[in-house]
């Protein structure tokens, strides 16, 4: 599979696949039958899943957002996927996020998580939409009009998390969206690329989630046999345990430490973790709680010890999924590794031991999900029924019964699309309303399951207890999304209520956001350009100002005066200018004036490198 940005006919709408990751996101499309990842301006296929919200309301995504990490970390949102579709309480339960979270009550009193940026709050859906919009723009620049889009989600995402992801895609202005489970996408790309058939396990450990699925790959049919996972178990958790360890070693009190220090240490922990995938031990300079500096060494062995409890959690998930599907280890033909966290040597050896075989490493874990999504998008848009993809429901769905129990209507691992129905009756004479509580989960009591929707079927004609016939039907579409229909059927005039469970953001709110986003789109493009020039301009002013001092001897006085004047104009423009065009002109001016100065600087560096001496020292 090729790495480069595709070049192709830009006329027809092109189906694309998006891996919307916790840490990084990737967009791909199929060109000449092969999936190709689309690189961005910075030549990287991975778009960091981070969003920067400027105080004036504009936003930047990816590397551009990352430039603000050092100076404005409190306006940066990262790992938002972990909060998508969660209630405020669920979001607040996540440890050591380094993000400020607030709860805002919506009309139906569902409290959904918002990120608090001080002057505004942002929902995880809105932040995810920014990332999706940036990826769609990347795709548009490479292949023209974007058609059907497949967005991947962790297989273990429940209905609320799926609905939220789909809303984010709508908010991003994607015209036609389908959801696909990440391990299924990976297996699709793997199966189609290698033309292998058999029973394959996908062990997918990304930044925020762990997913495990087993699929049967055969010519033209990809059938998911079982799926299981944990949507709050990812590489981020490794960062957190390491960060907690570092906090202790540096003398911080975990309960009292401020969000800024946590954010910084989480970043340090992540880069130590990455380095430890290559080196047996690494050192880093850090600040103790009392502000004194210290150099700490962390060994791979120490990190492995911290990761072990998390690995054992993945083992329990794998065991349960295999047991559910009555699959034995010897039945498997291979194990495919997906997700950045599977780069860690301890994960590879753990998987090798668990499955009693070396995992297959012939796919790039960073790209395979987007490639699979692109293949599925292409198949859906262009090839119809060439390939049959049979996915399953990750968690059981049902309703609350009298006494707070949970009655399953659809069991986990049921192939989708699917539907089921049940019949209820009234408990009291002349009861004219019936409250239905839709839930998802594996526990016996309703209070331990995920609440998806509550609604009242009203207008039941008065009759004796037990006489009414309330039909409740659950319907899961090919995206794994649920619609619930309820009707009273004894009387000729049945009342039908159709509910799409929501996670707290109502359809009207999403529609309003959508309208606002559309109205702002043109402004957004200009605003984005302006923001880019501002970032670029600020760094140019700094670097040229520094060079004017350090390499002053390379300039004539006339040149120096001209450059100083241009720097000043740009500096003033950065403060006051609201149009991108003028900033662009100021930038061009400074670039032109410093071109020959830069050449002289480069020549001097080369000379110094060749002679190994500082020329000024010799004079
Ligand atoms: P993904 O969601 O698949 O992009 O995976 C992201 C997760 O993989 C993050 O937690 C990263 O810190 C982690 N990761 C990426 N590369 C490495 C590496 N070389 N060693 C350890 N973890 C990594």
């Amino acid at each position: 599979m090729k790495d480069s940005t595709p070049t192709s006919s830009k006329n027809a709408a092109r189906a694309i696949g998006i891996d919307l990751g916790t840490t990084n996101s990737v967009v791909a499309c199929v060109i000449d039958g092969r999936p190709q990842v689309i690189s961005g301006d910075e030549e990287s296929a991975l778009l960091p899943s981070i969003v920067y919200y400027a105080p004036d309301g504009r936003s930047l995504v990816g590397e551009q957002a990352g430039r603000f990490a050092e100076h404005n970390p409190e306006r940066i949102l990262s790992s938002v996927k972990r909060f998508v579709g969660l209630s405020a309480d669920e979001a607040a339960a996540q440890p050591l996020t380094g993000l400020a979270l607030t709860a805002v009550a919506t009309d139906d009193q569902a409290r959904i998580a918002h990120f608090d940026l001080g002057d505004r709050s942002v929902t995880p859906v809105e932040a995810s939409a920014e990332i999706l919009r940036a990826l769609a723009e990347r795709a548009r620049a490479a292949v023209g009009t974007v058609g059907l889009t497949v967005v991947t989600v962790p297989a273990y995402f429940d209905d609320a998390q799926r609905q939220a992801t789909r809303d984010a895609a709508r908010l991003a202005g994607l015209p036609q969206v389908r959801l696909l489970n990440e391990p299924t996408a990976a297996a699709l790309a793997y199966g189609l690329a290698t033309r292998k058939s058999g029973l394959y396990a996908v062990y997918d450990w990304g930044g925020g989630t762990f997913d495990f699925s087993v699929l049967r790959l055969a010519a033209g049919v990809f059938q998911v046999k079982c799926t299981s996972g944990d949507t709050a178990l990812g590489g981020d958790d490794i960062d957190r345990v390491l960060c907690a360890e570092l906090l202790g070693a540096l003398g911080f009190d975990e309960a009292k430490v401020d969000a800024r220090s946590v954010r910084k240490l989480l970043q340090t922990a992540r880069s130590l973790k990455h380095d430890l995938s290559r080196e047996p031990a690494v050192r880093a300079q850090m600040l103790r709680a009392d502000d004194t500096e210290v150099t700490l060494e962390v060994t791979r062995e120490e990190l492995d010890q911290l990761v072990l409890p998390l690995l054992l959690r993945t083992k329990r998930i794998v065991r349960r999924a295999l047991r559910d599907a009555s699959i034995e280890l010897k039945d498997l033909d291979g194990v495919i590794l997906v997700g950045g966290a599977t780069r860690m040597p301890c994960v590879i050896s753990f998987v090798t031991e668990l499955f009693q075989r070396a995992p297959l490493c012939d796919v790039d874990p960073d790209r395979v999900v987007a490639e699979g999504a692109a293949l599925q998008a292409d198949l859906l848009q262009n090839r119809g029924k060439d390939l049959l993809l049979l996915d399953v429901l990750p968690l059981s769905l049902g309703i609350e019964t009298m006494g707070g129990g949970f009655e399953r209507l659809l069991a986990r691992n049921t192939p989708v699309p699917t539907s089921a129905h049940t019949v209820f009756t009234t408990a009291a004479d002349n009861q004219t309303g019936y409250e239905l509580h839709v839930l998802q989960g594996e526990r016996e009591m309703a209070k331990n399951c995920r609440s998806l929707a509550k609604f009242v079927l009203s207008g039941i004609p008065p009759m004796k207890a037990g006489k009414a016939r309330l039909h409740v039907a659950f319907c899961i579409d090919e995206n794994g999304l649920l619609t619930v229909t309820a009707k009273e059927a004894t009387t000729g005039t049945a009342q039908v209520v159709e509910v799409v469970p929501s996670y707290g953001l109502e359809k009207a709110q999403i529609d309003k956001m959508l309208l606002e986003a559309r109205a702002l789109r043109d402004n957004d493009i200009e605003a984005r350009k302006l923001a880019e020039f501002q970032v670029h301009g600020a760094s140019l002013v700094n670097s040229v100002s520094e060079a004017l001092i350090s390499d002053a001897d390379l300039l004539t006085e006339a040149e120096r005066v001209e450059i100083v004047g241009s720097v000043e104009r740009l500096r003033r423009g950065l403060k006051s200018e609201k149009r991108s065009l003028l900033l662009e002109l100021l930038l061009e001016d400074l670039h032109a004036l410093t071109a020959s100065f830069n050449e002289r600087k480069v020549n001097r560096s080369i000379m110094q490198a060749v002679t190994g001496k500082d020329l000024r020292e010799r004079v």
Side-chain angles (χ1 to χ4, degrees):
M1 290 175 204
K2 256 178 71 187
D3 189 330
S4 59
T5 295
T7 50
S8 72
S9 147
K10 298 196 175 189
N11 300 335
R14 176 84 55 181
I16 60 167
I18 292 181
D19 169 9
L20 179 61
T22 311
T23 321
N24 293 300
S25 297
V26 182
V27 58
C29 73
V30 172
I31 305 268
D32 300 330
R34 292 161 74 90
Q36 294 192 25
V37 160
I38 303 172
S39 301
D41 290 344
E42 319 224 353
E43 299 302 316
S44 166
L46 304 186
L47 178 79
S49 303
I50 54 177
V51 189
Y52 167 71
Y53 286 91
D56 59 7
R58 289 167 298 149
S59 58
L60 293 171
V61 177
E63 278 96 4
Q64 293 176 347
R67 292 194 187 112
F68 293 86
E70 178 107 10
H71 301 296
N72 256 337
E74 51 287 320
R75 302 199 70 90
I76 293 216
L77 299 183
S78 55
S79 294
V80 290
K81 182 172 170 181
R82 287 188 82 124
F83 304 96
V84 155
L86 296 196
S87 72
D89 294 340
E90 289 163 333
Q94 303 240 6
L96 280 180
T97 58
L99 292 167
L101 283 157
T102 51
V104 175
T106 54
D107 295 346
D108 67 352
Q109 294 307 304
R111 282 156 26 90
I112 62 167
H114 284 59
F115 300 111
D116 184 5
L117 300 174
D119 50 357
R120 65 181 289 199
S121 68
V122 175
T123 62
V125 167
E126 288 169 288
S128 303
E130 291 293 343
I131 299 166
L132 287 169
R133 201 175 284 133
L135 291 165
E137 264 172 35
R138 186 182 268 201
R140 261 179 223 119
V143 298
T145 314
V146 166
L148 186 140
T149 304
V150 168
V151 179
T152 59
V153 287
Y156 216 56
F157 253 22
D158 64 22
D159 195 72
Q161 292 164 307
R162 283 166 199 269
Q163 302 276 5
T165 306
R166 196 200 40 183
D167 284 343
R170 279 184 64 209
L171 208 51
L174 291 168
Q176 218 189 332
V177 177
R178 291 284 293 269
L179 302 182
L180 177 67
N181 289 338
E182 284 159 11
T184 312
L188 192 65
Y190 179 81
L192 293 184
T194 59
R195 300 191 183 282
K196 284 189 181 153
S197 59
L199 200 59
Y200 286 85
V202 183
Y203 182 100
D204 176 358
W205 209 11
T209 53
F210 173 69
D211 263 339
F212 177 73
S213 296
V214 177
L215 293 99
R216 181 167 294 287
L217 316 185
V221 182
F222 286 68
Q223 187 185 13
V224 181
K225 304 299 286 180
C226 62
T227 196
S228 193
D230 188 332
T231 53
L233 174 61
D236 284 4
D237 294 284
I238 301 173
D239 305 346
R240 285 174 193 171
V241 284
L242 183 54
C243 175
E245 200 70 12
L246 294 175
L247 281 171
L250 296 169
F252 286 98
D253 177 350
E254 209 182 295
K256 291 191 193 138
V257 62
D258 61 299
R260 186 178 260 261
S261 308
V262 170
R263 259 193 308 261
K264 259 190 118 164
L265 263 187
L266 278 171
Q267 270 170 14
T268 310
R270 175 176 296 186
S271 75
L272 287 172
K273 174 186 77 172
H274 287 195
D275 292 347
L276 284 170
S277 290
R278 289 189 307 269
E279 316 281 339
V282 285
R283 294 160 149 259
Q285 245 186 10
M286 287 169 237
L287 279 182
R288 290 201 193 90
D290 61 10
D291 259 358
T292 54
E293 276 202 347
V294 61
T295 303
L296 288 185
E297 186 186 71
V298 185
T299 65
R300 190 185 284 169
E301 232 176 307
E302 285 165 337
L303 180 66
D304 290 357
Q305 284 304 314
L306 296 173
V307 178
L308 189 61
L310 303 176
L311 284 170
L312 291 174
R313 277 169 67 188
T314 73
K315 181 176 177 173
R316 282 196 286 278
I317 292 165
V318 168
R319 285 263 158 85
R320 193 184 79 171
L322 293 177
R323 201 176 46 237
D324 270 4
S326 307
I327 295 170
E328 291 188 33
L329 286 177
K330 64 175 173 40
D331 301 333
L332 294 172
D333 292 296
V335 183
I336 303 166
L337 289 186
V338 182
T342 62
R343 290 225 163 81
M344 297 180 72
C346 65
V347 177
I348 297 173
S349 37
F350 186 82
V351 170
T352 307
E353 200 176 306
L354 178 59
F355 290 91
Q356 294 155 29
R357 77 190 70 210
L360 302 162
C361 295
D362 42 0
V363 289
D364 181 339
D366 285 330
R367 291 154 184 251
V368 66
V369 171
E371 287 168 349
L375 282 165
Q376 170 73 346
D378 181 59
L379 288 165
L380 287 170
Q381 181 171 290
N382 306 322
R383 268 167 253 196
K385 298 186 174 52
D386 273 8
L387 184 124
L388 190 59
L389 194 61
L390 302 170
D391 225 318
V392 295
L393 184 68
L395 291 155
S396 303
L397 279 163
I399 37 186
E400 182 171 350
T401 54
M402 300 277 280
F406 172 51
E407 181 179 320
R408 286 173 179 74
L409 260 74
L410 285 167
R412 71 165 181 266
N413 289 328
T414 303
V416 294
T418 185
S419 62
H421 77 274
T422 187
V423 181
F424 288 92
T425 189
T426 42
D429 286 348
N430 300 326
Q431 186 177 334
T432 54
Y434 193 99
E435 190 185 67
L436 275 169
H437 188 189
V438 183
L439 300 153
Q440 187 162 29
E442 302 307 327
R443 306 282 295 274
E444 292 312 310
M445 297 307 290
K447 68 175 189 316
N448 298 323
C449 294
R450 190 81 196 280
S451 169
L452 294 179
K454 265 187 186 164
F455 64 94
V456 176
L457 181 65
S458 56
I460 301 171
M463 55 185 109
K464 281 246 172 252
K467 275 273 172 214
R469 285 281 167 272
L470 310 175
H471 280 256
V472 179
F474 277 31
C475 189
I476 311 271
D477 68 12
E478 55 287 289
N479 292 318
L481 294 174
L482 167 72
T483 310
V484 183
T485 319
K487 64 180 178 185
E488 199 292 305
T490 50
T491 56
T493 52
Q495 191 210 351
V496 178
V497 180
E498 198 169 280
V499 189
V500 177
S502 104
Y503 47 93
L505 272 186
E506 295 306 318
K507 187 171 177 303
Q509 286 171 290
I510 296 282
D511 287 345
K512 186 164 159 263
M513 287 178 185
L514 206 54
L515 281 175
E516 283 168 3
R518 281 206 186 118
L520 288 172
R521 188 157 309 148
D522 288 345
N523 287 349
D524 276 358
I525 293 170
E526 164 64 14
R528 191 153 296 180
K529 262 182 155 175
L530 185 64
E532 279 171 29
F533 290 145
Q534 275 171 335
V535 171
H536 181 47
S539 91
L540 192 65
V541 165
N542 279 344
S543 60
V544 175
S545 304
E546 274 168 24
L548 280 172
I549 298 166
S550 61
D551 299 285
D553 58 319
L554 293 178
L555 290 169
T556 65
E557 182 54 15
E559 285 172 326
R560 196 190 66 79
V561 169
E562 257 196 309
I563 294 176
V564 168
S566 175
V567 167
E568 262 325 294
R569 282 192 296 282
L570 179 56
R571 206 194 294 273
R572 275 199 302 277
L574 288 171
K575 273 199 192 129
S576 60
E577 192 45 59
K578 297 281 175 279
R579 282 160 305 161
S580 65
L581 183 64
L582 234 123
L583 273 190
E584 193 173 4
L585 294 175
L586 290 170
L587 276 164
E588 272 174 20
D589 183 52
L590 185 52
H591 273 303
L593 283 176
T594 50
S596 119
F597 179 33
N598 282 338
E599 246 171 55
R600 280 173 246 166
K601 279 195 324 183
V602 170
N603 284 343
R604 167 141 80 189
S605 306
I606 295 170
M607 284 294 289
Q608 283 170 352
V610 171
T611 59
K613 289 206 172 106
D614 185 323
L615 296 186
R616 275 168 299 182
E617 267 173 23
R618 286 197 292 170
V619 183

